[in-house]
Amino acid sequence: MNNDSSIAQIAAMLREEATRLGPGARLPSSREIMRTHGVSPVTVARAIGQLAAEGRVVTRPGNGVFVTQRVLGGQDATDLSWQTVALGDRVVDEGPITTLLGQAAEGVVPLTGGYLRPGLRPDKQLGAAAARAVRRPDAWAMPPLAGLVELRRWFAAQAGGEVSAADALIVSGGQAGLTHAFRALAAPGTAVLVETPTYPGALAAARAAGLRTVAVPIDRHGVRPELLAEAFAVTGARVFLCQPTLQNPTGATLPVERREQVLEVARAAGAFVIEDDFARHLTERPPPSLVSLDRHGTVVHLGSLTKILSPSMRVAAVIARGPAAHRLRASQCVESFFVARPLQETALEFVGSPAWRRHLAAVHAEIAIRRDALAAALAARLPEAEVHLLPIGGMHLWVRLPAETDEGELVEAARRNGALVSPGRMYYPSEPPGPRIRVTHMAAAHLPELHEGVRRLAQALADVSRR
């Protein structure tokens, strides 16, 4: 029995089961289906995916697969087609973000993702910090609109230089910080410069703010200052988004000399630099932040606790000075008033405890082990592919594929083979130079699973290359 027919048979069986059980019922688990029918986890995942696409079932991570309430065609069927006319052109494209936030099905090795795996998250320590935090006086009262002073002071200290608590604004995660920065610093319809490749969430946020993204090439040491200066001159842009430490997806880190050059270029152009410093805590010895080198209010700095702690720790800070700071605070106030005080109190409690330093040490050690293991596995099993560089930390390796490789086919073949990787195309604001993938080492449960994921990826590349 070939794989496609197996998927069709399992999908047909699940349709019958969904009809028999009725709306709201829970379907058998993936493990039960595999055991009963003797099929692979990939077959089960694809069969469930077919039913989800048909609207028959909905997957609730951690709970299972449930039958939906389906509306059959007929006179009483709801017609929502009028909304297409009323809404007009699509503004927000969430596709790349939902791809990055998607969770691997059971039995599939995740070689993609942007957060710490469950075993490495400090869940128990965060729970203890939350329990202490909510017992603080006024823990449930309204916080200062800019955020708790102590937490703002902590973020300012992390940024370094002459930054103070008065310059910091607490926001609901790094993505929210990017959204506020784009809206505050650039007018709709204008250009914003971005590194290429770059984080897809930033591209989505810029486009949602009505901005035109213009690509500035990078090399192994980050953005090239001479090309940045040219881009400012040609476009008239007044904003440049930069990830100077462990750039996503390449892992490049700007040397201090080049950081100073970037600031000089932006200063000469009368432009802002949005410093997305998302990965500062994912390396043992990060370079000085751009904002710590800035004396003129050029840099709007964004730091976050999400990557180093938990995807649900939606606490970040935007640091700015002058009129830009006022606009950022206005954006935050109008959109969401403030970040929930219990979450701020929990963050403050955790970073002020001994658990914070112990957690950093554990993460840094794990990153080094997994980064080296992934690089070695890729070199052994995919010698025809090339790792862009070995980063000083972070979660990913950026891989250049043979020029003749169909990137989309490889990503799909890897998924069918039970491994998830991020396609390179979505990291480019314009045409990509060739096939690329981003491979993550921190999402797999352990090193054997990481090696198995690379083996599956290598098999997928071999299969695609033979076509």
Side-chain angles (χ1 to χ4, degrees), residues 168-194:
L169 170 70
I170 303 300
V171 297
S172 183
Q175 188 69 23
L178 286 173
T179 298
H180 290 312
F182 284 134
R183 290 176 179 174
L185 302 178
T190 60
V192 58
L193 306 184
V194 298

Side-chain angles (χ1 to χ4, degrees), residues 295-311:
R295 299 292 179 270
H296 305 286
T298 299
V299 177
V300 172
H301 174 92
L302 175 59
S304 173
L305 282 170
T306 306
K307 296 295 185 184
I308 189 62
L309 293 183
S310 164

Side-chain angles (χ1 to χ4, degrees), residues 196-197 428 430-436:
T196 183
Y428 287 94
S430 57
E431 295 79 9
R436 306 284 193 278

